[in-house]
Amino acid sequence: MPQPLNTSEDFLLAAKHAEIAALQQLQINCTLVTRVTELIHELQRERGLSNTYLVSDGQRFSQQRDDELKATGIAEVRFRDALTELNQSLQFPDSARLLSSIAFVIQCLEGLPALRQQVTARKISAKDNTLLFSRLISGLLTVVFEAADIADDPEVTRALVALFNFLQGKEYAGQERAMGLIGFTQGNFPNELQEKVRELKDAQARCFDIYTEFSTTIPKARWRQLESSEATTELDRLRRMIERYRSEDSLPTSISEVWYEVATRRIDEMQSIELDLTADLTSLCDEKIQIAEEDLRLHREHLKELAAVNEPPESPLALLPDGMLDSGRGITPGVNVKLARSISDLVQGQAERLQRISSELAEARQALDERKLIDKAKGLLIQSKGISEDEAYRHLRQAAMDSNKRMVEVAVNVISVAGMLSSG
């Protein structure tokens, strides 16, 4: 049975123990995030191969798809293992949304075998296949988002925000590959498909801008290098071909293989950066736990040494100002002045550190808060206008462009107007 906390020393050390426990939970969450990124990558590859298989009427990528199903299965097992570890340790009081997003993902994974059977039998269109795979991947991205939202360490939160936006940008790149593959394989790009490819390109740019803002020097430099690479240059050339396409044009279907190869090369390079981001995240959590444990050890030793000092009692309570400690006013018998002064310094230092962390955390979470506002505004538009999520997003984007405002500002206006209408 644990001993009751009675002294300021007890509570000071207990606070450090709580900090370590929170970091350890954060480490487990980051392990889950790593497994999520692995599963997302394999699902993106499976989606691309499945679409080629479907659009080519089963003539292309059959064997590659079979090989990828095995890789996706391994990634799913690792993901579920991480869920088991999370379930055994979860301590965050604000984890309801994280758990709900995980429940959604598990439900989608349970429907995956049936979807694969439809693909094998060619009983589903490439468009519908893309939508169902994208729905699952979107759920997995939400897991990363929620893990970032409940993180209470500013550096880890910044790393998670950078990773989330990179993953989101990579997913838009995967969807662009899928949409472009459909158009090139069928030899034409109807207006709707052209617009979708353009939107996905713009969406990537937004995500990678936020990633660049929150990322550290080396991953940021790697992204800039990728953006100037041969694969990106070739992809931009094919993108311009899509933009210039007109209904009377004729596209050779063989371009589909070039598009897939170029887009895949770029996405695989993204995965290399992604692996560095998750490795850096793991190292950051390990480092913070080591620092916190060392701080705890030093605190404990320091307090122990001071408590052993044999000197006349001269001090009142630990938190009295230095002037009162030095003057001897308000002296309480039996209090060690060095111990009292040391505890005062430790408590004051901890309070200042928590204040600094709180400010840094608020700054790091700004991007997450803005996404929540945009999502809320999209939900209101979907409900009030009876439109799709993509249409709601286009509505917000167009309104932002027309008013020369940031999208989050438009989202705030939508939410405000909806609130006034509902209260009226």
Side-chain angles (χ1 to χ4, degrees), residues 63-111:
Q63 184 57 54
Q64 293 93 325
R65 176 174 172 261
D66 289 343
D67 294 340
E68 182 55 39
L69 290 179
K70 297 173 185 175
T72 307
I74 293 171
E76 182 179 343
V77 169
R78 288 163 64 84
F79 168 70
R80 289 183 181 274
D81 287 344
L83 290 183
T84 300
E85 185 179 6
L86 177 76
N87 186 51
Q88 292 171 347
S89 66
L90 198 61
Q91 298 176 13
F92 279 114
D94 300 326
S95 57
R97 291 198 310 271
L98 173 61
L99 295 176
S100 294
S101 62
I102 291 172
F104 174 79
V105 166
I106 292 174
Q107 183 184 41
C108 290
L109 285 172
E110 289 172 352

Side-chain angles (χ1 to χ4, degrees), residues 18 21 38 77 157 184-185 187 276 357:
E38 294 170 355
V77 169
T157 299
F184 281 121
T185 303
D276 286 346
I357 286 175

Side-chain angles (χ1 to χ4, degrees), residues 179-190:
M179 294 295 104
L181 190 63
I182 292 171
F184 281 121
T185 303
Q186 65 191 16
N188 62 81
F189 280 87

